Amino acid sequence: AQDLMFLAENLEVDLSFNKIERISLAQAEKYALNRRYAKNNTIIIANNPIVCDCDIYDLLRYREGRMNQSVRNHFHLEMEDLICDNPNWLKGRSLQELKSQSLTCLLENPGMYDALCPESCECQLRPNEPAYIVNCAHRALTESPVKLRSPRGLLPIELNLTGNYLTKMPVMTHPGYDKISTLILSRNRISQVSLEGLSNNIRNLALDSNNLTKLNSSVLNFLKNSTKLTNLSLEGNPWLCDCNARELLSFIQTARIKIPQLQKVRCALSESLGIFEMTPEDLCPLLTGWVIASCTSIVLLGLIIGGIVALYYRYQAEIYAWLYARQWCLGLITEEELDKDKLYDAFISFSHKDQDFVMEELVPRLEGGEMQMKLCIHSRDWLAGELIPTQIVRSVENSRRTIVILSPNFLESVWAQMEFRTAHTLAITEGRPRVIVILYGDIGPIDQLDPELRAYLAMNTYLVWGERLFWEKLRYSFPHDKQDVMNKGRRRKEKKTVFENQRPTIRIANDKSELIEDTHPNASTPPADTLKTFVSSSSQVNNDVSLNAETTNTVNSNTKMIENCNEVESPNEKIQVKKPQIITTV
């Protein structure tokens, strides 16, 4: 190519009717890109005895316009009537008939390139999409070549075994077979495809016109999951279409692999319809009734289970109350077994601007004193360098509860709100209360909050920092110890025995009277169960009395707070009941 880079400009050089055999433009693009100005020279090379081997690949690219335009700016080749003089199988052919993309060059002496070519086969090089082509087609072979090697072992191999007498596929463990990218086995007598005959490097596989009747599950899975296979030929085989062919049908209809002549992939006994057009019922008619019966049974079973689940969730509170009243299935209440593998009692989600409040007020009380909890604090317990979303998910999943410090700073923190959503999602998924919200500071009107937070606060209880009995309510929000619940049940039975000859009356004990005020209820709706009061009177107890503190905001002496009671010790005035739990004993 450098011989064509003249220093002068606008020249016309006539080199026709010489004995030029090779015109190599392999370095033409490199030289042209290093020249600053165009030369616009014309070089005539017609009527020279050109050798049409792989060296003319770049000359063909130049003629086809597939070379960088800067080369044409430096010289223009006129090659009309340029005829191949060698090799013999191309002698006399015009250069116009050759295409760079399909050009192959016969290797008469592969040893010079450190390559192997099997006996009775022809081996060629292809410059475009470089490959070593081993052509063993129509050689009456009964076995595939034992060994292959491309030049210096670098190029992929395309092995063509069309039109032979092979009864089984080549074994990919033979030397050099791992380099095969194209395997053509058309028009042989192969009756079975095995995994030993497949390789992860194969891009094109031709199995058409053989004696294949089926492909087993392992082969179909390999073909389906292969990341490199792009073309698969299957037509011309006597495929057996029965119930066992459903996997083949599914593969053909859903495979991302290109299957040429797909309409010609037909059943041996029914050549009028392509397999890809069939349905599972066409392959296995007896299957239809079984499928319908199975589907009907599954649907009915699903409806029954769905109904049971719906009833459970609809009346979950009533079911728990009924079980609790009879001291049955207490494990459903304590969560002790469900959370025994949790690393932390609670993960505290807060804005870093509220860290002083958390570390000075909450953490000492929760980790010390009576509660003795193990807490997860992001500034203390997270691993440095790990992704924040990953640590949020792990902290929530490894904690029995997530305490959310809902403050104005929290509402401005993207990460804090992500922690809330993660905990809320887990709670919804498990169907158990796992989030404890503590309102800290003035967050403004609730109806102006984020929709998810607004919905949560509207439908769930929360605590307010500084309110009465804050720490008692917070302690009650955590899972109850199983033994405590058992003891509670025993105390309740004892209490019922003591009062079984008493008549119930409502009275507020002095040490709990501060929980009832003449003011509007606090914005907090902490997690409370019921308001229960028992006072001795003179006759037999007909039933226990409970007030639901979550749903009752006002109590009037004339309301139906207690049925079957002749006497209520309360004036005829309206009083306000705060939402926290109130338990009054004798």
Side-chain angles (χ1 to χ4, degrees):
Q2 57 268 36
D3 294 336
L4 304 178
M5 298 292 182
F6 295 99
L7 296 177
E9 300 179 5
N10 300 316
L11 296 178
E12 181 176 301
V13 181
D14 188 354
L15 298 177
S16 60
F17 294 98
N18 279 282
K19 295 184 179 181
I20 300 174
E21 294 183 345
R22 299 182 182 275
I23 302 175
S24 176
L25 299 183
Q27 302 295 324
E29 290 173 303
K30 177 180 177 181
Y31 283 110
L33 290 172
N34 291 331
R35 300 297 189 273
R36 181 173 300 179
Y37 304 106
K39 302 295 184 179
N40 297 320
N41 295 324
T42 300
I43 302 171
I44 304 172
I45 57 173
N47 293 295
N48 278 285
I50 300 297
V51 177
C52 294
D53 58 9
C54 286
D55 288 339
I56 67 165
Y57 172 66
D58 293 297
L59 182 63
L60 295 178
R61 286 177 58 226
Y62 174 88
R63 180 178 58 79
E64 296 166 357
R66 296 180 59 224
M67 190 170 282
N68 194 290
Q69 182 61 34
S70 60
V71 178
R72 289 182 177 271
N73 293 336
H74 284 277
F75 58 83
H76 174 67
L77 295 179
E78 291 186 2
M79 41 184 159
E80 289 79 8
D81 301 325
L82 203 60
I83 305 298
C84 294
D85 188 62
N86 273 303
N88 290 332
W89 61 289
L90 288 176
K91 187 170 184 176
R93 291 188 62 179
S94 171
L95 213 67
Q96 299 288 338
E97 300 177 24
L98 303 181
K99 305 295 180 184
S100 64
Q101 294 178 322
S102 59
L103 177 68
T104 59
C105 313
L106 182 65
L107 290 186
E108 296 180 354
N109 189 4
M112 294 178 59
Y113 299 91
D114 191 24
L116 287 178
C117 187
E119 293 183 10
S120 71
C121 297
E122 254 182 13
C123 295
Q124 301 169 323
L125 286 176
R126 184 179 65 220
N128 189 69
E129 295 184 0
Y132 183 53
I133 301 173
V134 180
N135 185 6
C136 301
H138 304 289
R139 299 296 200 276
L141 300 178
T142 57
E143 294 183 350
S144 59
V146 176
K147 185 186 295 186
L148 299 173
R149 185 168 71 241
S150 63
R152 299 177 182 85
L154 301 176
L155 296 178
I157 297 174
E158 296 183 1
L159 178 59
N160 186 354
L161 291 168
T162 300
N164 286 289
Y165 301 107
L166 303 181
T167 57
K168 59 182 180 180
M169 296 183 65
V171 178
M172 291 293 117
T173 56
H174 286 172
Y177 275 68
D178 59 324
K179 291 288 185 179
I180 293 179
S181 62
T182 297
L183 179 59
I184 304 175
L185 298 170
S186 307
R187 302 189 188 93
N188 278 277
R189 300 175 180 179
I190 298 173
S191 59
Q192 184 178 1
V193 178
S194 61
L195 288 177
E196 290 77 10
L198 300 173
S199 165
N200 288 322
N201 294 323
I202 293 180
R203 296 179 180 274
N204 302 289
L205 177 61
L207 295 170
D208 54 284
S209 302
N210 278 277
N211 295 329
L212 296 174
T213 58
K214 64 179 181 179
L215 296 178
N216 60 45
S217 298
S218 59
V219 171
L220 287 173
N221 287 332
F222 179 91
L223 298 175
K224 187 186 303 181
N225 297 322
S226 175
T227 57
K228 293 187 178 180
L229 185 63
T230 56
N231 288 279
L232 176 64
S233 299
L234 297 173
E235 72 276 7
N237 286 287
W239 296 105
L240 181 61
C241 295
D242 56 12
C243 294
N244 295 323
R246 284 174 290 164
E247 285 189 77
L248 175 62
L249 173 65
S250 175
F251 171 76
I252 290 176
Q253 292 180 339
T254 61
R256 57 174 180 77
I257 301 170
K258 182 180 179 181
I259 304 179
Q261 304 294 325
L262 181 60
Q263 67 278 7
K264 293 185 179 180
V265 182
R266 302 177 183 276
C267 300
L269 301 178
S270 177
E271 297 188 356
S272 60
L273 191 65
I275 293 180
F276 78 100
E277 299 175 297
M278 303 179 74
T279 65
E281 290 74 21
D282 295 330
L283 295 175
C284 191
L286 297 178
L287 182 65
T288 306
W290 183 85
V291 169
I292 293 175
S294 300
C295 291
T296 303
S297 301
I298 292 172
V299 169
L300 291 175
L301 182 61
L303 290 174
I304 294 172
I305 295 175
I308 294 173
V309 172
L311 289 173
Y312 170 75
Y313 280 104
R314 173 63 179 85
Y315 299 102
Q316 185 175 2
E318 289 81 354
I319 293 173
Y320 277 169
W322 188 80
L323 292 174
Y324 181 75
R326 289 157 179 77
Q327 300 301 307
W328 294 348
C329 302
L330 292 177
L332 296 175
I333 304 171
T334 64
E335 303 181 84
E336 181 181 355
E337 292 298 324
L338 295 176
D339 291 340
K340 64 181 179 181
D341 295 327
K342 300 291 185 184
L343 298 179
Y344 302 101
D345 292 304
F347 166 55
I348 302 183
S349 171
F350 62 94
S351 168
H352 69 279
K353 296 180 180 179
D354 297 327
Q355 183 158 345
D356 291 343
F357 164 70
V358 172
M359 300 305 294
E360 294 175 8
E361 297 288 348
L362 290 183
V363 173
R365 288 291 297 270
L366 293 176
E367 289 188 336
E370 297 179 0
M371 305 185 84
Q372 294 291 320
M373 292 185 177
K374 186 176 181 181
L375 302 179
C376 177
I377 312 294
H378 72 263
S379 58
R380 182 184 69 186
D381 300 311
W382 281 9
L383 299 175
E386 192 169 359
L387 291 176
I388 292 179
T390 302
Q391 302 210 63
I392 290 174
V393 173
R394 185 169 60 246
S395 298
V396 171
E397 290 180 346
N398 288 339
S399 302
R400 294 179 177 86
R401 292 289 186 270
T402 296
I403 301 177
V404 175
I405 308 302
L406 183 56
S407 68
N409 296 325
F410 182 93
L411 299 177
E412 296 175 359
S413 172
V414 175
W415 295 117
Q417 294 193 45
M418 180 181 290
E419 292 169 353
F420 166 75
R421 292 191 179 95
T422 303
H424 189 200
T425 301
L426 182 61
I428 293 174
T429 302
E430 295 185 354
R432 293 192 288 152
R434 288 196 171 274
V435 182
I436 301 173
V437 176
I438 298 177
L439 189 61
Y440 177 63
D442 184 12
I443 62 172
I446 292 180
D447 57 1
Q448 294 181 10
L449 296 179
D450 174 85
E452 193 169 357
L453 263 174
R454 184 170 68 245
Y456 181 86
L457 294 178
M459 299 176 63
N460 295 273
T461 60
Y462 58 91
L463 296 109
V464 178
W465 169 249
E467 66 180 342
R468 289 191 183 95
L469 300 179
F470 171 82
W471 292 107
E472 288 78 0
K473 299 171 189 176
L474 180 57
R475 184 184 300 109
Y476 186 77
S477 301
F478 283 88
H480 313 307
D481 184 72
K482 184 173 183 179
Q483 189 61 39
D484 290 344
V485 176
M486 299 282 289
N487 293 337
K488 180 179 177 182
R490 285 196 292 270
R491 289 196 300 269
R492 184 176 173 187
K493 288 181 179 179
E494 293 171 0
K495 193 175 297 182
K496 185 173 181 180
T497 302
V498 172
F499 298 144
E500 64 182 355
N501 293 321
Q502 303 297 325
R503 181 174 179 179
T505 357
I506 291 295
R507 188 169 63 195
I508 306 302
N510 292 333
D511 58 342
K512 302 295 182 180
S513 59
E514 71 276 5
L515 297 179
I516 300 184
E517 300 178 345
D518 291 332
T519 58
H520 291 289
N522 195 303
S524 166
T525 55
D529 282 338
T530 56
L531 174 63
K532 300 181 181 178
T533 305
F534 298 95
V535 181
S536 298
S537 187
S538 60
S539 59
Q540 184 181 4
V541 173
N542 293 324
N543 56 348
D544 293 340
V545 181
S546 67
L547 292 178
N548 192 319
E550 238 173 42
T551 58
T552 306
N553 291 328
T554 63
V555 178
N556 190 285
S557 60
N558 292 325
T559 59
K560 296 182 180 178
M561 199 168 70
I562 302 177
E563 295 181 2
N564 300 323
C565 289
N566 297 326
E567 183 180 354
V568 176
E569 295 183 6
S570 174
N572 220 1
E573 60 181 353
K574 185 175 183 181
I575 59 175
Q576 299 288 335
V577 178
K578 292 188 70 177
K579 292 183 180 177
Q581 179 189 16
I582 305 169
I583 301 177
T584 304
T585 59
V586 178

